Amino acid sequence: MKTSISTLRHARTAYNQEKRYAGSIDIPLSEQGRLEAEEVAPKLRGIAFDAVVTSQLRRAQETARLIAPAGVPILRTRLCNERTFGIMEGLTWDDVQTLDPPVLMISVGGDLHTVNPRNGEPFEQVWVRARKFRSYLFRRFEGRKVLVVSHGVFLQMFHGVLRGSTCIESLAVYPANLELRRFDFSGDALAKEAVVRLGEVKEVAW
């Protein structure tokens, strides 16, 4: 049985433009983000999705409403909410560098990733949610085509789960806003991955 899971990171927000950590802060799309989502929508509407699944956060839900084909149901679940960044939420990258005690960081994929922000969600917990989300999707949509509209760090973890990578390995690739990835499964095995940017489709090495 063939199952197709596509993922899309939400459109831009003011926090994206200001390089602030949003996490669980429920911010809306920016005007620029709404315009970009509306621009992408006609291309995505040419894909026959059976359902769209979003997080419970406004920026993902707004994106889903702007790009979902007419008549396709939109479902919400906290399983694909963004990572909670704790004390870092609302701060810029420069602000985070001044925190005391400092936040531990690791380098993966040529980028730094914050490991232990106070009151934040560890990567391992996001990884567990991503695994539960995979089970949820296969339970409800096996043999169908589903689009997931979610967030940067969660999608890092979820993509890793779909590929069979480890939690830390999954941090190597961070999705851009409105970047669409498609994962095609034959039964439970990943058969193909493709990335779509504004209508351009190319195969991804994996």
Side-chain angles (χ1 to χ4, degrees):
M1 184 177 294
K2 295 182 179 179
T3 303
S4 178
I5 298 173
S6 296
T7 67
L8 184 81
R9 186 180 169 206
H10 64 80
R12 266 193 267 200
T13 68
Y15 273 29
N16 291 139
Q17 291 162 285
E18 297 165 6
K19 298 184 178 179
R20 295 185 185 275
Y21 289 88
S24 64
I25 298 176
D26 201 13
I27 56 174
L29 297 181
S30 64
E31 184 59 32
Q32 181 182 7
R34 284 189 288 273
L35 290 172
E36 289 172 348
E38 289 170 353
E39 222 174 82
V40 171
K43 182 62 66 174
L44 294 181
R45 286 171 183 158
I47 304 174
F49 294 116
D50 295 300
V52 177
V53 180
T54 82
S55 78
Q56 294 180 329
L57 297 171
R58 183 176 172 185
R59 55 195 184 272
Q61 293 180 49
E62 285 184 350
T63 302
R65 286 195 295 268
L66 288 169
I67 58 89
V72 175
I74 300 176
L75 293 75
R76 296 177 296 171
T77 173
R78 63 163 296 280
L79 286 174
C80 62
N81 279 7
E82 179 59 301
R83 179 192 186 197
T84 298
F85 288 102
I87 194 174
M88 300 193 316
E89 294 195 348
L91 301 183
T92 66
W93 173 256
D94 289 341
D95 294 334
V96 170
Q97 310 311 302
T98 68
L99 291 175
D100 187 21
V103 176
L104 175 66
M105 299 190 186
I106 57 172
S107 178
V108 182
D111 199 5
L112 290 174
H113 307 271
T114 56
V115 175
N116 64 340
R118 181 157 49 89
N119 300 323
E121 188 177 14
F123 286 124
E124 292 80 4
Q125 287 185 13
V126 185
W127 175 258
V128 169
R129 277 203 289 118
R131 293 185 65 177
K132 289 180 179 177
F133 185 58
R134 183 191 189 280
S135 297
Y136 164 85
L137 291 180
F138 270 87
R139 188 168 62 248
R140 295 200 60 167
F141 302 107
E142 187 173 12
R144 302 168 73 186
K145 295 179 181 178
V146 61
L147 172 64
V148 174
V149 182
S150 186
H151 310 266
V153 175
F154 178 80
L155 288 177
Q156 283 182 298
M157 295 289 107
F158 184 54
H159 292 165
V161 166
L162 294 180
R163 296 183 187 117
S165 304
T166 67
C167 175
I168 299 304
E169 288 170 344
S170 302
L171 294 170
V173 181
Y174 191 77
N177 293 103
L178 294 177
E179 179 183 287
L180 180 71
R181 285 183 181 263
R182 190 183 73 242
F183 298 82
D184 293 332
F185 287 82
S186 178
D188 199 46
L190 181 62
K192 185 174 65 175
E193 177 183 344
V195 62
V196 183
R197 291 187 181 90
L198 299 178
E200 179 185 353
V201 183
K202 65 179 181 179
E203 294 304 308
V204 177
W206 53 275

